[in-house]
Amino acid sequence: MPYIQLDGQQYPLVAGDNRVGGNEGARIRLTGAGAGEVSASLDVGADGATVIRRVDGSVKVNGVALGAEPAPLLHGDKIDVAGRELFFGDDRRAGNTQFVQPVRLAESAPHGSPGKATASTGGRVISLVDGREYPVPAGGLVFGRDPSCDVVVGSTEVSRKHASLSAGPEGYLLRDTSTNGVLVNGEPASSPALLGRGDVLTIGDEEFRFYADNAPAPKAALATLEVISSGMLKGTVMDVRSPLAHVGRGAHNDIVVSDESVSDSHAKLQRREDGWYVVDMGSTNGTYVGGRRIEGEAPLIGAPDLRFGGVKFIFRVPEGGTASGASQTRAIAALKVDAARRPVEGAKTPVVSQPGQRGAPRAVAPPKSAPRRSRVLALLVWLLVVVLIAAGVFIFFTGH
């Protein structure tokens, strides 16, 4: 039997005329301002087919104003009477979910589709059955058999709340909450699934094509970090796309280094007027430039080796960047070494010196011979004293 759902409550419709409005004779009574001035009639035939007629005021079906002619209602249609939203349902299309096949996949990380990447704006799906377009609102779009869903698919293979589509940081995510699953481009979709522009969603026996605004062009990398230490990360190149980029093991960082020797918030890379600098954030296992542990900050000259904990990188800036603006003298002065600290256990200390310092003047070590001459002179003085004492004792006993 057909029914009307209002405020979560179902009102069964009987064969013949079913009046909706604020009048006392209405089968479905509406309250509120303007309710008494608007009414509609739902006419149910012997076979359960239902049509709606406007009696007074403005009545809308699926957002379209109803004219003088009656309009047939389908399961899931939304009716607006006096500003109140009613949902038309049919028990023949909204019974229990019929299990079809186990295509539901386990929860996993967002799964990218082969479609073109999108922005997190302009999301919409278009029914390939009737051409109806459904924009994705800020709260997300819900697919399902229940007439209160945003997109109603009246099939017993479809769950009452089958799936949802909402915007995420990287685009639009489809989440499967159903018994029988969702297909994306003909393949079972993981949950959540990151949709691409033009992807086709199959829910029950209906298909929908997904569209959204094109993804903005990615920013050019200001610098790169290439992992050169041994391990699973070796060869990985990480782009530095911001003048201030945080580095660490935690997911909140701009550059995430998944290694136990790296602190949750380890360091930051900062571009200034005179070049790039690395700043240690009080990490446990230290930040190293050219094989030397830094305190506070140090400039990055040329293409230096840079180590966070036990993971070693080469830091590079593309041509035209500002990597070598700092003077070599300032670089040497700012690179402080804490001899009391030691690198993380098991980590190899790099032996490559910091590039750009080849021509820098080296401090001349004090001569090592001066302390040795002092020790020899003191020894000779003591020997002379011993000889004089011995001679005095000899003369005293012999009388010579």
Side-chain angles (χ1 to χ4, degrees):
M1 276 304 284
Y3 61 89
I4 287 293
Q5 184 171 308
L6 174 64
D7 296 334
Q9 185 175 351
Q10 287 188 6
Y11 298 88
L13 301 180
V14 298
D17 180 41
N18 297 265
R19 187 62 61 92
V20 180
N23 299 326
E24 291 193 10
R27 180 172 180 82
I28 302 173
R29 184 80 179 273
L30 302 179
T31 58
E37 302 174 1
V38 181
S39 64
S41 176
L42 303 173
D43 297 332
V44 181
D47 58 354
T50 305
V51 297
I52 182 171
R53 292 185 297 106
R54 178 174 61 86
V55 178
D56 293 310
S58 175
V59 177
K60 295 180 180 180
V61 178
N62 298 320
V64 178
L66 189 63
E69 296 296 322
L73 292 177
L74 300 175
H75 177 78
D77 281 344
K78 297 172 178 60
I79 306 168
D80 185 294
V81 179
R84 303 295 301 277
E85 191 173 47
L86 297 80
F87 303 96
F88 175 77
D90 192 333
D91 282 333
R92 294 172 297 181
R93 304 293 301 275
N96 295 325
T97 305
Q98 179 183 355
F99 180 75
V100 179
Q101 56 182 348
V103 298
R104 177 79 181 276
L105 300 181
E107 292 285 325
S108 64
H111 172 71
S113 73
K116 187 177 179 181
T118 74
S120 299
T121 57
R124 61 194 184 279
V125 293
I126 298 176
S127 171
L128 298 183
V129 176
D130 57 15
R132 187 178 297 179
E133 181 174 317
Y134 303 89
V136 182
L141 193 71
V142 179
F143 300 81
R145 194 178 72 248
D146 194 275
S148 63
C149 292
D150 302 300
V151 182
V152 179
V153 182
S155 170
T156 55
E157 299 176 9
V158 178
S159 299
R160 293 185 180 276
K161 305 286 185 180
H162 196 95
S164 65
L165 179 60
S166 58
E170 299 179 356
Y172 283 85
L173 294 174
L174 178 71
R175 291 180 172 83
D176 180 15
T177 55
S178 68
T179 299
N180 293 316
V182 181
L183 301 181
V184 176
N185 300 323
E187 297 293 334
S190 60
S191 181
L194 183 63
L195 297 184
R197 184 179 172 86
D199 282 350
V200 175
L201 319 180
T202 302
I203 297 177
D205 56 0
E206 294 193 25
E207 292 185 334
F208 304 87
R209 188 176 294 278
F210 168 75
Y211 291 101
D213 295 338
N214 290 323
K219 294 181 180 179
L222 301 177
T224 60
L225 285 170
E226 180 181 354
V227 181
I228 59 174
S229 57
S230 59
M232 295 181 62
L233 296 176
K234 185 175 182 179
T236 302
V237 178
M238 303 177 181
D239 291 339
V240 181
R241 299 187 180 275
S242 171
L244 178 61
H246 289 79
V247 183
R249 194 176 68 249
H252 60 278
N253 292 284
D254 302 292
I255 299 173
V256 178
V257 184
S258 300
D259 189 271
E260 290 299 321
S261 67
V262 178
S263 297
D264 191 61
S265 297
H266 196 101
K268 61 182 178 181
L269 298 167
Q270 188 173 21
R271 188 177 70 176
R272 303 175 186 170
E273 291 183 1
D274 58 350
W276 283 89
Y277 286 75
V278 60
V279 182
D280 186 76
M281 303 292 289
S283 63
T284 301
N285 294 317
T287 300
Y288 298 77
V289 177
R292 293 185 285 183
R293 184 166 184 166
I294 68 170
E295 284 186 7
E297 64 180 41
L300 300 173
I301 308 298
D305 55 286
L306 180 60
R307 179 153 62 88
F308 304 112
V311 184
K312 188 176 178 182
F313 299 82
I314 288 291
F315 177 81
R316 296 187 178 93
V317 176
E319 271 188 60
T322 54
S324 57
S327 66
Q328 295 178 2
T329 304
R330 182 174 179 180
I332 297 171
L335 193 60
K336 301 177 182 179
V337 181
D338 184 358
R341 297 184 182 179
R342 296 184 179 181
V344 61
E345 186 176 353
K348 296 181 179 179
T349 302
V351 296
V352 182
S353 61
Q354 185 176 4
Q357 295 183 11
R358 184 175 298 174
R362 297 181 179 179
V364 179
K368 297 182 180 180
S369 56
R372 182 177 296 177
R373 286 198 299 269
S374 299
R375 289 196 297 269
V376 172
L377 181 61
L379 181 60
L380 291 176
V381 171
W382 278 107
L383 286 175
L384 180 60
V385 171
V386 171
V387 170
L388 291 175
I389 294 175
V393 172
F394 178 77
I395 294 172
F396 177 78
F397 284 103
T398 60
H400 291 84

